[in-house]
Amino acid sequence: MYIIVYNYMVFDMKKSLLILALLFIAVTSAPESFAQNAGYSAYCVAVIDGDTIKVKTKGTEQKIRLYGIDCPELDQPFGSQAKNKTKKLIQNKRVKIQVLDKDRYGRLVALVSTKTFILQEELLKSGLAVVYPMFCKMPICSKWQQLEEQAKEQKKGIWKSKHTAFPWEWRKK
């Protein structure tokens, strides 16, 4: 065992090598996750419902579930309006996909944006989505809760009704 003394700091050589090895492994295995977080460009080829889209990139199609929000189901009041809003905003357009997770159905869970807006925010502003508290854990979620509250105060979309059922409650019926 060697001890190196430098600038009054003492390092155990074995511990230092172990830390360096772990750091090397973390850095060399991380490019894929860094690439996902940096985002990639894709073309929106279909809108399945308000919060699920299909994109094509490099000849491959992928289903994307919008991170942090939940739109009304298609058979729920405002479900078709949410789908139509998503279509109007991004179908047949280039979008940026920032993958954050994968859901139990195999869909990528992502932030979806264009050069001028974040899709989740546009749906919240129009009252056609709600923040999904069980899954919205990033710092941006507090801003999204404010957007939801503004839509609620302005009685937009689902907030026009006093008896709004949250999509996760609707699905349990």
Side-chain angles (χ1 to χ4, degrees):
M1 180 175 352
Y2 299 96
I3 296 179
I4 301 171
V5 178
Y6 182 74
N7 287 343
Y8 304 106
M9 296 178 70
V10 178
F11 293 97
D12 179 87
M13 183 64 94
K14 288 183 181 178
K15 287 182 183 175
S16 295
L17 289 175
L18 178 62
I19 290 169
L20 284 173
L22 291 172
L23 184 60
F24 176 78
I25 292 168
V27 169
T28 57
S29 65
E32 184 176 317
S33 63
F34 283 139
Q36 287 179 340
N37 286 336
Y40 61 90
S41 180
Y43 188 74
C44 180
V45 295
V47 173
I48 296 162
D49 59 25
D51 53 33
T52 309
I53 63 173
K54 191 180 286 188
V55 299
K56 188 172 188 175
T57 183
K58 299 178 184 175
T60 304
E61 288 188 0
Q62 300 172 316
K63 273 190 182 178
I64 307 289
R65 170 71 168 84
L66 299 183
Y67 170 80
I69 66 165
D70 206 1
C71 289
E73 297 299 311
L74 291 174
D75 64 342
Q76 183 178 3
F78 296 96
S80 59
Q81 289 93 326
K83 180 179 180 177
N84 291 336
K85 178 77 171 180
T86 300
K87 271 186 177 184
K88 180 181 173 191
L89 290 170
I90 65 164
Q91 188 162 339
N92 300 321
K93 296 179 183 168
R94 190 146 295 281
V95 293
K96 180 179 177 185
I97 305 297
Q98 186 177 355
V99 177
L100 302 171
D101 203 358
K102 197 174 210 177
D103 72 9
R104 62 183 175 177
Y105 303 109
R107 300 174 295 189
L108 299 176
V109 178
L111 288 171
V112 177
S113 61
T114 69
K115 289 181 180 180
T116 57
F117 62 83
I118 297 172
L119 180 57
Q120 285 92 326
E121 292 180 0
E122 295 302 306
L123 290 165
L124 288 163
K125 287 178 194 176
S126 61
L128 296 172
V130 294
V131 175
Y132 204 162
M134 189 164 78
F135 297 106
C136 201
K137 304 295 184 189
M138 292 176 57
I140 198 168
C141 298
S142 60
K143 176 185 178 186
W144 291 359
Q145 289 168 336
Q146 292 172 355
L147 295 174
E148 178 184 305
E149 192 58 37
Q150 289 170 359
K152 193 175 188 177
E153 289 170 3
Q154 297 168 4
K155 297 188 185 326
K156 290 183 175 180
I158 64 171
W159 305 113
K160 289 178 183 177
S161 172
K162 291 180 183 180
H163 306 290
T164 300
F166 291 106
W168 54 87
E169 294 169 349
W170 185 270
R171 286 190 291 271
K172 289 180 184 177
K173 291 181 178 183

